[in-house]
mmCIF file of all heavy atoms in Angstrom:
data_model
loop_
_atom_site.group_PDB
_atom_site.id
_atom_site.type_symbol
_atom_site.label_atom_id
_atom_site.label_comp_id
_atom_site.label_asym_id
_atom_site.label_seq_id
_atom_site.Cartn_x
_atom_site.Cartn_y
_atom_site.Cartn_z
ATOM 1 N N ALA A 37 87.135 183.238 -10.111
ATOM 2 C CA ALA A 37 88.482 183.089 -10.716
ATOM 3 C C ALA A 37 88.605 181.684 -11.230
ATOM 4 O O ALA A 37 89.152 181.530 -12.408
ATOM 5 C CB ALA A 37 89.538 183.412 -9.694
ATOM 6 N N LEU A 38 88.149 180.670 -10.502
ATOM 7 C CA LEU A 38 88.269 179.333 -10.997
ATOM 8 C C LEU A 38 87.445 179.083 -12.300
ATOM 9 O O LEU A 38 87.856 178.386 -13.179
ATOM 10 C CB LEU A 38 87.816 178.348 -9.877
ATOM 11 C CG LEU A 38 88.687 178.258 -8.665
ATOM 12 C CD1 LEU A 38 88.002 177.364 -7.590
ATOM 13 C CD2 LEU A 38 90.041 177.662 -9.091
ATOM 14 N N ALA A 39 86.297 179.775 -12.341
ATOM 15 C CA ALA A 39 85.413 179.595 -13.530
ATOM 16 C C ALA A 39 86.156 180.180 -14.757
ATOM 17 O O ALA A 39 86.101 179.629 -15.809
ATOM 18 C CB ALA A 39 84.116 180.291 -13.302
ATOM 19 N N HIS A 40 86.813 181.300 -14.584
ATOM 20 C CA HIS A 40 87.483 181.913 -15.735
ATOM 21 C C HIS A 40 88.713 181.045 -16.100
ATOM 22 O O HIS A 40 89.000 180.823 -17.246
ATOM 23 C CB HIS A 40 87.959 183.317 -15.435
ATOM 24 C CG HIS A 40 88.635 183.913 -16.565
ATOM 25 N ND1 HIS A 40 87.985 184.235 -17.769
ATOM 26 C CD2 HIS A 40 89.955 184.281 -16.772
ATOM 27 C CE1 HIS A 40 88.836 184.760 -18.691
ATOM 28 N NE2 HIS A 40 90.043 184.773 -18.074
ATOM 29 N N LEU A 41 89.398 180.500 -15.111
ATOM 30 C CA LEU A 41 90.544 179.579 -15.365
ATOM 31 C C LEU A 41 90.073 178.450 -16.171
ATOM 32 O O LEU A 41 90.765 178.012 -17.123
ATOM 33 C CB LEU A 41 91.198 179.100 -14.095
ATOM 34 C CG LEU A 41 92.271 178.111 -14.202
ATOM 35 C CD1 LEU A 41 93.442 178.714 -15.049
ATOM 36 C CD2 LEU A 41 92.780 177.670 -12.834
ATOM 37 N N ALA A 42 88.869 177.878 -15.881
ATOM 38 C CA ALA A 42 88.390 176.744 -16.669
ATOM 39 C C ALA A 42 88.223 177.106 -18.188
ATOM 40 O O ALA A 42 88.422 176.250 -19.001
ATOM 41 C CB ALA A 42 87.078 176.234 -16.077
ATOM 42 N N LYS A 43 87.955 178.430 -18.413
ATOM 43 C CA LYS A 43 87.752 178.850 -19.790
ATOM 44 C C LYS A 43 89.124 178.998 -20.558
ATOM 45 O O LYS A 43 89.229 178.667 -21.712
ATOM 46 C CB LYS A 43 87.041 180.195 -19.793
ATOM 47 C CG LYS A 43 85.581 180.140 -19.476
ATOM 48 C CD LYS A 43 85.036 181.547 -19.527
ATOM 49 C CE LYS A 43 83.601 181.607 -19.197
ATOM 50 N NZ LYS A 43 82.997 182.961 -19.393
ATOM 51 N N VAL A 44 90.144 179.488 -19.819
ATOM 52 C CA VAL A 44 91.379 179.726 -20.423
ATOM 53 C C VAL A 44 92.389 178.636 -20.397
ATOM 54 O O VAL A 44 93.378 178.626 -21.125
ATOM 55 C CB VAL A 44 91.997 181.103 -19.953
ATOM 56 C CG1 VAL A 44 91.142 182.267 -20.190
ATOM 57 C CG2 VAL A 44 92.397 180.995 -18.475
ATOM 58 N N ALA A 45 92.221 177.706 -19.444
ATOM 59 C CA ALA A 45 93.180 176.629 -19.309
ATOM 60 C C ALA A 45 93.511 175.883 -20.544
ATOM 61 O O ALA A 45 94.680 175.575 -20.788
ATOM 62 C CB ALA A 45 92.656 175.640 -18.192
ATOM 63 N N PRO A 46 92.540 175.584 -21.435
ATOM 64 C CA PRO A 46 92.886 174.891 -22.662
ATOM 65 C C PRO A 46 93.811 175.690 -23.585
ATOM 66 O O PRO A 46 94.435 175.067 -24.482
ATOM 67 C CB PRO A 46 91.501 174.677 -23.338
ATOM 68 C CG PRO A 46 90.548 174.755 -22.231
ATOM 69 C CD PRO A 46 91.098 175.758 -21.291
ATOM 70 N N THR A 47 93.968 176.946 -23.415
ATOM 71 C CA THR A 47 94.818 177.777 -24.252
ATOM 72 C C THR A 47 96.210 177.931 -23.640
ATOM 73 O O THR A 47 97.063 178.517 -24.296
ATOM 74 C CB THR A 47 94.187 179.172 -24.450
ATOM 75 O OG1 THR A 47 94.251 179.883 -23.214
ATOM 76 C CG2 THR A 47 92.792 179.000 -24.980
ATOM 77 N N ILE A 48 96.411 177.444 -22.428
ATOM 78 C CA ILE A 48 97.677 177.542 -21.732
ATOM 79 C C ILE A 48 98.462 176.316 -21.993
ATOM 80 O O ILE A 48 97.985 175.131 -21.866
ATOM 81 C CB ILE A 48 97.451 177.747 -20.236
ATOM 82 C CG1 ILE A 48 96.694 179.052 -20.036
ATOM 83 C CG2 ILE A 48 98.800 177.778 -19.562
ATOM 84 C CD1 ILE A 48 96.239 179.254 -18.571
ATOM 85 N N GLY A 49 99.725 176.424 -22.273
ATOM 86 C CA GLY A 49 100.582 175.292 -22.555
ATOM 87 C C GLY A 49 100.713 174.346 -21.390
ATOM 88 O O GLY A 49 100.635 174.757 -20.228
ATOM 89 N N LYS A 50 100.774 173.028 -21.709
ATOM 90 C CA LYS A 50 100.879 172.075 -20.614
ATOM 91 C C LYS A 50 102.133 172.155 -19.737
ATOM 92 O O LYS A 50 102.177 171.609 -18.680
ATOM 93 C CB LYS A 50 100.724 170.634 -21.189
ATOM 94 C CG LYS A 50 99.341 170.384 -21.796
ATOM 95 C CD LYS A 50 99.280 168.923 -22.263
ATOM 96 C CE LYS A 50 97.962 168.644 -22.901
ATOM 97 N NZ LYS A 50 96.837 168.408 -21.992
ATOM 98 N N ASP A 51 103.114 172.855 -20.300
ATOM 99 C CA ASP A 51 104.308 173.041 -19.528
ATOM 100 C C ASP A 51 104.306 174.288 -18.611
ATOM 101 O O ASP A 51 105.236 174.606 -17.900
ATOM 102 C CB ASP A 51 105.523 173.157 -20.491
ATOM 103 C CG ASP A 51 105.375 174.342 -21.439
ATOM 104 O OD1 ASP A 51 104.253 174.709 -21.776
ATOM 105 O OD2 ASP A 51 106.407 174.910 -21.862
#
Side-chain angles (χ1 to χ4, degrees):
L38 292 172
H40 183 67
L41 177 60
K43 290 180 179 183
V44 299
T47 68
I48 300 171
K50 292 185 184 280
D51 61 329

